[in-house]
Amino acid sequence: MALSSAGVVPWMMQELLQLLEMAPLGQETETGTLPLAAAMALHKIMQHSQYGPQVRLFFLELFMALIFQLVSSGSLEPPEVTAVTEDPICPSAPTSAIRILVEVVHKLLQCADLDHLVHAMDSHKLWEQLLGAATWQDGLRSLARLMARECRDQSVHIFSHLQKLLWYHQLQWREVPAMVLYTELHRSLEIQEQNGRAEKIFRKHICSERPESQELALCGLRSLYAGRMQLLLPDVLTWLQDTRADVKLQAMQLLHDIMAHCPGHVQDALSQLAVRLTSCFNEENTELRWLSMELFAQLLAAPGRRQLLQQVEMNLLPLFFHMNEEIPRVAQAAQEALTRAAELLRWQQLQHLVSTADMWKIAECLVQKAGSAVQQYVQQSVRHLHSPQASMQEAAVCFLGLLGRQLRSENPQKVQDIRNALQSVKEDRELAMRCLVLQMLLNLCVMVLSVTTMIGGDWVSIMYNGIMACGGLSFLGTLVCIYFIIVFVCKNCIL
């Protein structure tokens, strides 16, 4: 009845197009059945050849909407894909809705006089690729290449339509397939733009919430800036400050390419890059930690690296802690960066110790060379006391013990700060870690007593100071401490 009314088809096409763009077919939401209803209505209209001219007016929009529906309508197993592409429509089949979509795309291409494209898609088994859960992206790329070869003029129009969608609209569930098709058409058609719209689109989507879009945008920028990657350095610096780990990863991968192809061009930005990279050493994302240390090591071998001396000195201890990581490739990257750092500082002893991975001697070397960096070392160690990795917690506890031993006579207040830091983490730890923390606290107690004795304190004040040094321990822990304190006092009295 609706189709019998004059001029109603264009209006219906607009409405159906909006419904097809609303959500993936069959999505379980309040509006999830509307795209399916739209596909069925469109299938009915396409069966009437007299409406062909009116349908062709909406070819670009409909073709894109249907293709996006095909690749977003759910994950199909191989038997289901076969059922869609080979068997006739069966209303009771679970894949009947997708089968309707395939039929509509066939009809739409024929209506637009693109029968040769239909034949090419069939012969290349593109339908199977587009419907496969693991192959739909490859299917879209193959489709873009086929279109560029079989119907270039229509492909240019589709490219322009995609460009408008990606620039002016928030595509949500359609974003990733749109980006896949757009980037492949951009490459296949070899379009030379004057307004730089493609670059703007890639820059927009490199900060997308969808990692797939970010990766595609990064690939697009790499293609646009082939041979002049250094021009993207300002963008890298901006993206490295993003709060999202995946955006930082894209920036680091881009920086990796720049360092590989034109290392000399990063000289003016070395200090800024070093600050950005070292701020990522403690990220939760393993890939981010690993890549940041690997790139930092590369900066330490770049032209102009002497300007990084301050950054190197500030990150010696964090790199040492990360050499203790439980993840081998991160620990290896930290070792390489610390080796380069020691080489830059011309600390041959440290460079040798790092190459042999003698953790205890590395820690002693750093303590001996602490100098004015003591307060910084204490703060950095305290941060790593709260690491989620037990091996790094252990390294931080041991380093604080060494640092306290070094400071026992020259800076008792710093020893007190170290003791407070250890006391703050002795609870809520594994038994082995609690024992290690208590051991370090006992060592620090003995140091306090030793200093008190040397300055002439009586045994009562020594006992009091020792117990206060162990304040906050459990009852049993305190008894153990008192025992060692009494033994220490008696020994000094006999001597």
Side-chain angles (χ1 to χ4, degrees), residues 423 445 449 461-473 478 481-482 485:
Q423 286 175 347
C445 291
L449 294 175
S461 65
I462 294 172
M463 177 77 75
Y464 175 78
N465 289 331
I467 294 173
M468 290 301 100
C470 300
L473 296 180
T478 303
C481 291
I482 293 174
I485 292 167

Side-chain angles (χ1 to χ4, degrees), residues 329-341:
R329 63 172 178 162
V330 180
Q332 186 176 356
Q335 183 179 8
E336 176 64 23
L338 190 54
T339 301
R340 295 271 181 90

